[in-house]
Amino acid sequence: MPTSTPTATPPPEPAPRVLIADDQALVRTGFRLILTMRGIEVVGEAADGAEAVAAARGLRPDVVLMDIRMPNMDGLEAARRVLEQNPECRVLMLTTFDLDRYVYAALALGASGFLLKDVTPQHLAAAVRLINTGDALLSPSITRRLVERFASGDHRSGRPPGHRPAHAPRLPAVHRDLTALTPRELEVLTLMGGGLSNAELARRLTLSEATVKTHVARIFAKLALRDRAQAVVLAYETGLVSPGGPAA
């Protein structure tokens, strides 16, 4: 009588190594305790952006929890430098303001998502583990709302053309040459920009989720995108999706 071979259980993902960058010592201490109690190693701390860049260079963490507003060098510039020196690192931005303008700029630079500082301990640990797997923290609908608000530029914000507060970051462009994409990949990217998840894409295009994931992976590879959040930003910056327009 033939016997079936048991299916091997894949090994669990190794816990990420985390660097915490925040100018408030109590925040750093609290986050360290939360993560270490849940089996996540905190390899270092930094009190400003410059320290974060130096620490990330020496410690090579998997994930950096990066406060946006810090002295000496803000989190936006620090994130840019960290990702430039270590493209495999994942940066998770910390902010006290929902839909902070700085968050959009961070996503365009390649940050994998953002958290409010009043996040629950369970959510913090889950978020760190999630982006360490290469996924983006933001749901497509939240990403779309964020990008719609800030991708449109000054002329749609009610301010005079060319006016930009001195403290506001200059938003980086993420334009890519879309001619490398097949017609189907371009369609997938457009629908991602409209806020559709992989499951929704599969239903809309009458494809399996596995096929959709393959298309998404190829789009990321061809356009040098880090994750879904940056793909949504690109869809707006290249005009595939219009801010304020209907959802795809």
Side-chain angles (χ1 to χ4, degrees), residues 149-172:
R149 179 164 174 180
F150 297 124
S152 53
D154 289 344
H155 65 286
R156 294 187 182 91
S157 66
R159 294 190 297 273
H163 173 76
R164 187 170 63 95
H167 64 277
R170 185 175 297 279
L171 301 182

Side-chain angles (χ1 to χ4, degrees), residues 4-241:
S4 58
T5 303
T7 302
T9 302
E13 290 285 341
R17 301 169 65 255
V18 179
L19 170 67
I20 302 172
D22 194 290
D23 61 335
Q24 299 179 49
L26 284 176
V27 171
R28 297 196 307 271
T29 300
F31 282 179
R32 175 185 282 273
L33 289 173
I34 288 169
L35 294 176
T36 54
M37 287 176 63
R38 287 162 176 79
I40 297 174
E41 181 184 5
V42 176
V43 295
E45 297 180 13
D48 60 43
E51 286 186 12
V53 173
R57 184 185 303 115
L59 297 170
R60 308 291 288 183
D62 300 309
V63 176
V64 178
L65 290 178
M66 184 82 76
D67 188 18
I68 288 181
R69 305 184 185 199
M70 293 186 291
N72 299 328
M73 180 190 296
D74 67 23
L76 191 64
E77 176 61 17
R80 185 188 70 78
R81 297 190 188 190
V82 167
L83 293 171
E84 187 177 73
Q85 69 189 20
N86 182 9
E88 298 304 314
C89 183
R90 299 286 165 173
V91 175
L92 186 55
M93 306 304 295
L94 299 169
T95 178
T96 54
F97 303 100
D98 189 14
L99 294 182
D100 191 313
R101 181 177 181 84
Y102 288 73
V103 173
Y104 169 74
L107 295 178
L109 284 170
S112 295
F114 76 98
L115 286 174
L116 296 178
K117 285 190 179 181
D118 62 358
V119 63
T120 66
Q122 293 80 6
H123 190 184
L124 175 65
V128 168
R129 291 184 183 277
L130 175 68
I131 70 164
N132 187 53
T133 67
D135 209 342
L137 180 61
L138 302 176
S139 70
S141 61
I142 293 175
T143 309
R144 182 179 191 274
R145 182 164 58 99
L146 176 73
V147 174
E148 270 198 356
R149 179 164 174 180
F150 297 124
S152 53
D154 289 344
H155 65 286
R156 294 187 182 91
S157 66
R159 294 190 297 273
H163 173 76
R164 187 170 63 95
H167 64 277
R170 185 175 297 279
L171 301 182
V174 290
H175 297 298
R176 302 283 194 274
D177 181 4
L178 301 183
T179 59
L181 301 183
T182 65
R184 175 64 90 184
E185 289 165 352
L186 193 63
E187 185 177 18
V188 169
L189 178 59
T190 303
L191 292 173
M192 274 201 292
L196 272 65
S197 65
N198 283 350
E200 291 166 335
L201 280 166
R203 289 193 294 271
R204 175 70 66 89
L205 300 174
T206 319
L207 299 171
S208 69
E209 281 197 56
T211 300
V212 168
K213 289 178 180 178
T214 298
H215 285 310
V216 170
R218 287 175 178 166
I219 291 168
F220 289 175
K222 288 181 178 181
L223 300 181
L225 298 172
R226 295 179 60 83
D227 51 38
R228 196 182 201 92
Q230 200 175 26
V232 176
V233 171
L234 179 137
Y236 280 85
E237 297 255 345
T238 55
L240 289 177
V241 180

